[in-house]
Amino acid sequence: MIGRIVGVVAMVVLAALLIWRLDVNGWGSLLWAGSGIATSVIRSPHEARNKQNTIARQDRQGIERVLLIGVMLGGSVIPLVHLLTGVFSFADYDLPWWATALSLLLVIPGLWLFHRSHTDLGRNWSVTTELRDDHTLVASGVYERIRHPMYSAIWLIFLAYPLMIHNWVAGFAVIVAFGAMYVIRVPYEEAMMVDRFGDEYRTYAEETGRLVPPLR
Ligand code: SAH
């Protein structure tokens, strides 16, 4: 409860500071904050529920921790510090207002897919690469034709960052951080699924695309 109150107060203070800096950062900075808050709101009930899972297997937790810290730095800390202080302003670029508006074409479908993938995975979802005791293979809903719709959603949202934060460092850091996480994590996540589900996952993999549905 106290944690939640502290979180809400911190969010209100940050929102006030971002509004105070609106002239410098442009309204894309508010879209950025809004997209961050929306992803937390979408994820939090799933996080709370899945805390009760019994975990049967966790893979490469050391690497996972480093990758997650990278995404947190690139996606939250670096942009926020820049938007509040202008520390990377030497790397600013100008974009017309409609380029900022274009970010919504990525963020809105991204948030929808983020929500759907959490709902479809249900208790099988986890922040790190792990399997729970009663893990089931989900191959329906948004998982019917895509193996990693949650990562597709995250890509859509993160690719919008440079349209919302007009800075080569603060806008692109998350793309580098999530790119590293994606490239490193996906192969061992899929290997873990093959280990657990065998041919069921191999067949599923043949019928699906990683991030977008297969052309066939
Ligand atoms: N890579 C997926 C899921 C991300 S959450 C996506 O982008 O949508 C990570 C966890 O999801 C992994 O630890 C794995 O246990 C679980 N997972 C991944 N694909 C799954 C599937 N098709 N069915 C059930 N669980 C899955």
Side-chain angles (χ1 to χ4, degrees):
M1 185 64 186
I2 288 184
R4 195 165 280 184
I5 293 170
V6 171
V8 170
V9 171
M11 243 175 240
V12 171
V13 171
L14 288 175
L17 288 171
L18 285 177
I19 290 169
W20 170 61
R21 298 264 304 166
L22 198 56
D23 270 1
V24 186
N25 295 322
W27 58 284
S29 60
L30 296 186
L31 290 183
W32 169 78
S35 70
I37 292 168
T39 53
S40 307
V41 168
I42 289 170
R43 181 160 270 187
S44 75
H46 299 278
E47 212 155 18
R49 182 199 54 218
N50 288 10
K51 270 197 187 123
Q52 274 129 43
N53 284 354
T54 316
I55 304 306
R57 170 174 166 174
Q58 287 184 313
D59 276 32
R60 304 226 235 170
Q61 293 297 295
I63 297 177
E64 291 272 305
R65 208 158 294 149
V66 172
L67 295 172
L68 282 169
I69 290 172
V71 172
M72 172 104 96
L73 284 176
S76 304
V77 178
I78 292 176
L80 193 60
V81 168
H82 169 68
L83 292 173
L84 295 182
T85 65
V87 61
F88 300 119
S89 54
F90 61 88
D92 278 348
Y93 50 80
D94 281 327
L95 284 182
W97 70 269
W98 53 263
T100 308
L102 271 184
S103 66
L104 287 172
L105 292 183
L106 297 169
V107 169
I108 291 171
L111 288 175
W112 175 82
L113 191 56
F114 195 65
H115 161 67
R116 287 291 340 155
S117 51
H118 277 85
T119 309
D120 288 343
L121 267 191
R123 294 201 74 140
N124 301 301
W125 170 73
S126 52
V127 178
T128 62
T129 305
E130 57 194 50
L131 289 167
R132 69 189 181 106
D133 253 357
D134 308 317
H135 211 98
T136 51
L137 177 63
V138 176
S140 58
V142 291
Y143 285 83
E144 194 176 331
R145 303 187 65 214
I146 312 179
R147 289 203 287 297
H148 302 289
M150 196 176 291
Y151 299 157
S152 311
I154 295 172
W155 270 127
L156 284 170
I157 296 166
F158 286 169
L159 286 172
Y161 275 35
L163 294 169
M164 301 190 281
I165 301 170
H166 304 162
N167 184 274
W168 288 107
V169 179
F172 282 87
V174 77
I175 293 177
V176 176
F178 187 66
M181 171 176 254
Y182 180 82
V183 170
I184 294 171
R185 183 195 266 195
V186 167
Y188 68 77
E189 183 175 324
E190 293 195 347
M192 180 185 77
M193 298 302 280
V194 168
D195 241 27
R196 173 72 171 242
F197 297 101
D199 284 345
E200 200 187 345
Y201 192 82
R202 284 192 197 95
T203 310
Y204 170 66
E206 273 167 25
E207 290 166 353
T208 49
R210 272 205 167 120
L211 291 175
V212 292
L215 287 176
R216 287 168 280 119

